Amino acid sequence: MHGCGLDPLNSSLDEQFAMPLLQFVRHAESANNALYRALIAEMGGVDAVSADPALQQRVDEEEAKRRSSDPQLSARGYGQAALVAEALAYESTEASMTTLVCSPMLRTCLTAEPIVEALQRSGAAELRVICHAQYHETGGCHERGVALPGRTFRQICDGHPTMRFAAPHRFPSPDLGWYSAASTEELDVQTRVESMYIWLTELLAGTPDSGRLIMVGHGHFMALLLARLMGLPAEGACSLAVHANTGVSTLRFVKSKGSFLVLSLNDTRHLADRSLLSGCEPAEDGWTGVLRAPGWSLHQFDAAREPMPPWLQKQTVAVRAECLWAHETGITAASYSESDTRAVTIVCLLKGIELIVGHVQYDPPSMRLRQLIVLPQFRSLGVGRALVRQVALAHAARMDQTRQSSTAEAEGGKAVDGNAVGGKAVGGKAVGGEA
């Protein structure tokens, strides 16, 4: 997963380096989602159903009997759609072009409709709306395993006139339903994931650097597509890329590398009233899961006394090169080779996999903080605050040394809160962390 210290909600596109913006938005709560939630409540709640396979089977069987093949939104879903629309429109002013892509299924069109209307009101430049017949949910349009044709492109246009769709994409014909070519419920979803991946990357390659692409889709298929974009295995993708109803994931497309920077996953800040939050509890949708926040630890290295191990030094160079130096003309690792030898470097590592997610340096001669990086998907964990606090401690120690005109011995190698990775495995001083 790639990233650098950016916040798409708190800075304009001009302030960030130029790369097309890609945002995935899961549809608002549908009548089927609400039905599933009600059935779980009838069976004793999420915890009871999660712990009892027999109860889960009863919920699934009852839902299969009562579900709609192409449901409307629930009352809560209409409220969610209005809120995400305003949030996305607020971010639209800097984009030179906006393309919105939605699934042909009714719940995504009803979610996309207020988004398009809000973008139109905000004056979004060169707004284009595409209905893509292959961007549907896993399984297709079916009822109890029997394929149904779905709506035609003309029916979709007539049902959502304010969307002003461009020409149909991958429909059998304007007079045939979007799923009419299928004879059964979809069985091979990965072929469609690969097809959408190729189409999406080609679309982004032709999008201006200040352009924006919004993809309004479905939880399961979006998770599989996100896994493909990030180069992760499809297995377990649903647990990794959990999306609440109207949850937003934001990426940037690096044209020069054909890769993606992940800025945020499942952002639901627009749902300030948490009673509107749905679709992200274990078993609530029958597929989603909740990830526990990863533990991390800080490790401090003084280049003059305790150098960083080569494998970790390689990681720090790579993360600085991608997040800092790549955007400064003529700056490379060699530019910092001399200053690195006198710096105190503090890194944040994820527990168990020793992956660097944060970095900062303190330069004793100038007494300055520099090279602060926190990968965005870990910014909510307090990593940046902990790194800055550790620099403040290093600076205080330096001031004491100056006043006393003597060299203070380094602190012991224990973690300040007992949760850090052991110093012997990583080296340096383990100076803090979180479970």
Side-chain angles (χ1 to χ4, degrees), residues 186-238:
E186 182 181 44
L187 301 176
D188 180 18
V189 67
Q190 281 304 134
T191 298
R192 185 161 55 88
V193 168
E194 190 64 27
S195 175
M196 281 299 302
Y197 167 78
I198 294 170
W199 181 83
L200 179 59
T201 52
E202 289 178 349
L203 180 62
L204 285 167
T207 298
D209 287 340
S210 58
R212 183 186 191 193
L213 175 59
I214 302 172
M215 304 281 292
V216 183
H218 305 267
H220 189 237
F221 188 76
M222 273 177 23
L224 294 173
L225 186 54
L226 269 168
R228 178 66 180 87
L229 296 180
M230 294 186 288
L232 300 174
E235 185 177 357
C238 294

Side-chain angles (χ1 to χ4, degrees), residues 9 65 100 113 130 171 190 216 242 263 267 277 299 343 394:
L9 296 180
K65 294 177 185 176
L100 184 143
E113 198 165 23
I130 295 173
F171 279 75
Q190 281 304 134
V216 183
V242 174
L263 304 185
D267 189 346
L277 192 64
H299 296 267

